[in-house]
Amino acid sequence: MKRKQTAAAAAAVLLALSSPLSVLAGPSGADGGAGEAYLAELNDGVLQYSELPGLVERYNVTYKNTYAQIAGQSQSLEAARQLGKDADEAMEEALDLKEDDMDEATRALYESYKEAAKAMRKQAAKLSDEDLSGTAERSLKMLKNQQTMLAQNLMIQYQKTSSKKELLAKQEELAKAGYDAAAARAGLGMASSEEVLSANQNWLQAQSAAVQIDSAVNSLKQNLLITCGWNADSDPEIAQLPEVDSARLNSMNLAADTETAVQANYGLISLRQNGGKGSVGRNILKRNVSQSRQGIAVSVESLYAKAKADQQAYEGAEANFQAAVLDMQAADQKNAMGMMSRIDYLGAQAAYLAAKSERDDAKADLFSSIQNYDWALKGMTVS
């Protein structure tokens, strides 16, 4: 009896699906219309910068919970959920019927269940936010952007902090060698106890700095993973940031971009929509809109100047790093020929790593500046 009811329901659903139906997309780890290959890439154990928006949309707890609160009030969402249940039931019935030697009638029924399930799932894959009110939809989109910005900034800070680990480890090694040398000289009566104490203090400070950087890296990593929906104790590979887009830098147009930022700004849109009643209210609204436009223009100009300044800083840091590369190559040759003491060679390595860390910092800062500028053009307020 149930099978006949399901068959009838399947036929009804197939007919119903021929008419438009707008339902909401749930981000809670569900497909949401995304391809299997894309979802597999999001969950391949390698965290890429380009994947952050997708990870936030599907797995970020703050976004998911807010979405559920907004979308849970929609009748269309309930219809979407029912579609999913009906699809599962139809497929279960199909699997119950499946046999190697099905007769023609059974095979036809089996195919009808399969087609019903396929059609319902296809419809579910087309879920959209069309039924959300304009205000709720904007709020949800802004929240997604905020969480994506947070994830991006955490990844940038993680990369900047991680790049210092090698330098601090080398500085600790150098400080230890300095202490050992001072202790050895003291044993020969060639160094005072104060020199040994000072060298030991330098070593302890270097050790502390190395421990602190490890703690900072772990903290940033955990916060990044949580923002992306991972468990805090997960250990995915975190890929390097993409290269700086020099073409994007060259294409910045302050005048045109400022107008784009003004038109897209979420705060300004909300301000305009709240409106003002009566002549007094309208005058207040007009003044507030004008002030908001001016504030956005100042912010965009500041972000533009920051990006250009960071570009110059990066170019200078890159030049210094290239000089450090040559110095390191010369030190390697001298060390191979036995022409450098261990401490001198460690010092050369530390100098090279310091230049590399400075270059990496400047690169990440420039990358961040471009990102923040582009977020402003998408309507987000960036401090």
Side-chain angles (χ1 to χ4, degrees):
M1 181 66 176
K2 179 183 176 183
R3 194 169 283 172
K4 290 182 179 179
Q5 291 174 342
T6 306
V13 169
L14 285 171
L15 289 173
L17 290 177
S18 62
S19 60
L21 175 64
S22 297
V23 283
L24 298 173
S28 56
D31 179 310
E36 290 184 6
Y38 176 66
L39 292 178
E41 185 177 348
L42 290 182
N43 294 279
D44 63 359
V46 180
L47 184 55
Q48 304 273 357
Y49 182 86
S50 60
E51 296 172 350
L52 295 179
L55 289 168
V56 165
E57 183 176 15
R58 287 167 178 80
Y59 307 114
N60 178 271
V61 174
T62 301
Y63 178 75
K64 284 166 57 180
N65 289 344
T66 304
Y67 185 98
Q69 292 173 1
I70 294 175
Q73 301 172 2
S74 170
Q75 293 181 351
S76 293
L77 179 62
E78 185 56 38
R81 289 171 176 163
Q82 188 58 49
L83 271 178
K85 292 179 181 178
D86 291 343
D88 290 340
E89 290 180 5
M91 185 53 70
E92 286 179 10
E93 294 293 342
L95 293 175
D96 288 344
L97 285 169
K98 187 177 181 181
E99 297 175 356
D100 292 334
D101 56 343
M102 288 185 288
D103 59 34
E104 185 173 343
T106 303
R107 181 172 294 280
L109 188 58
Y110 165 73
E111 293 295 336
S112 72
Y113 287 142
K114 278 186 59 180
E115 286 301 314
K118 180 180 178 181
M120 285 185 283
R121 285 176 177 164
K122 183 177 180 181
Q123 184 63 41
K126 295 179 180 178
L127 304 182
S128 69
D129 288 337
E130 293 175 2
D131 284 357
L132 288 172
S133 69
T135 301
E137 185 176 1
R138 275 195 309 278
S139 297
L140 195 61
K141 186 175 181 180
M142 184 169 68
L143 176 61
K144 176 187 171 184
N145 288 344
Q146 288 171 339
Q147 291 296 308
T148 301
M149 287 173 62
L150 173 60
Q152 290 175 340
N153 287 328
L154 284 169
M155 189 167 187
I156 290 170
Q157 291 303 315
Y158 171 82
Q159 297 286 6
K160 287 184 65 174
T161 308
S162 296
S163 71
K164 295 179 174 63
K165 287 184 64 174
E166 189 177 6
L167 169 61
L168 292 180
K170 185 60 64 175
Q171 288 176 338
E172 180 186 353
E173 185 180 1
L174 176 60
K176 173 63 164 58
Y179 167 71
D180 290 342
R185 290 198 306 274
L188 297 173
M190 300 173 62
S192 66
S193 59
E194 288 78 8
E195 288 178 304
V196 176
L197 183 62
S198 177
N200 184 57
Q201 186 64 30
N202 289 337
W203 179 32
L204 291 175
Q205 289 176 348
Q207 285 180 303
S208 176
V211 170
Q212 289 177 15
I213 202 73
D214 281 339
S215 177
V217 168
N218 291 335
S219 178
L220 286 166
K221 182 176 182 179
Q222 287 181 348
N223 288 332
L224 172 61
L225 295 179
I226 291 172
T227 305
C228 294
W230 294 70
N231 293 327
D233 58 354
S234 301
D235 191 28
E237 175 188 347
I238 300 180
Q240 293 294 314
L241 294 173
E243 290 299 314
V244 172
D245 188 353
S246 56
R248 177 68 191 99
L249 273 168
N250 296 331
S251 68
M252 288 180 177
N253 183 316
L254 182 57
D257 290 343
T258 297
E259 186 58 29
T260 298
V262 166
Q263 295 302 322
N265 187 267
Y266 285 96
L268 184 55
I269 291 173
S270 177
L271 180 63
R272 283 170 168 162
Q273 289 195 332
N274 287 335
K277 296 181 180 180
S279 60
V280 174
R282 286 192 293 271
N283 287 335
I284 293 175
L285 174 63
K286 184 177 180 180
R287 184 183 67 238
N288 290 341
V289 167
S290 176
Q291 291 175 346
S292 180
R293 287 179 62 95
Q294 292 174 14
I296 295 167
V298 170
S299 176
V300 173
E301 184 176 5
S302 176
L303 292 169
Y304 177 86
K306 180 72 164 57
K308 294 301 181 180
D310 285 346
Q311 181 181 19
Q312 291 183 343
Y314 171 59
E315 290 171 352
E318 178 64 32
N320 290 339
F321 174 66
Q322 293 305 323
V325 169
L326 297 178
D327 290 342
M328 191 66 239
Q329 290 173 349
D332 286 336
Q333 291 177 352
K334 288 183 179 180
N335 185 61
M337 298 169 63
M339 299 172 61
M340 290 188 80
S341 68
R342 179 169 180 266
I343 288 183
D344 286 342
Y345 186 59
L346 287 174
Q349 289 179 316
Y352 164 78
L353 290 174
K356 181 177 181 295
S357 178
E358 180 185 352
R359 188 278 307 270
D360 291 345
D361 260 10
K363 181 179 179 180
D365 286 341
L366 177 56
F367 187 89
S368 178
S369 293
I370 297 173
Q371 166 203 280
N372 290 338
Y373 186 84
D374 285 342
W375 273 121
L377 305 193
K378 296 175 184 176
M380 300 300 295
T381 301
V382 182
S383 60

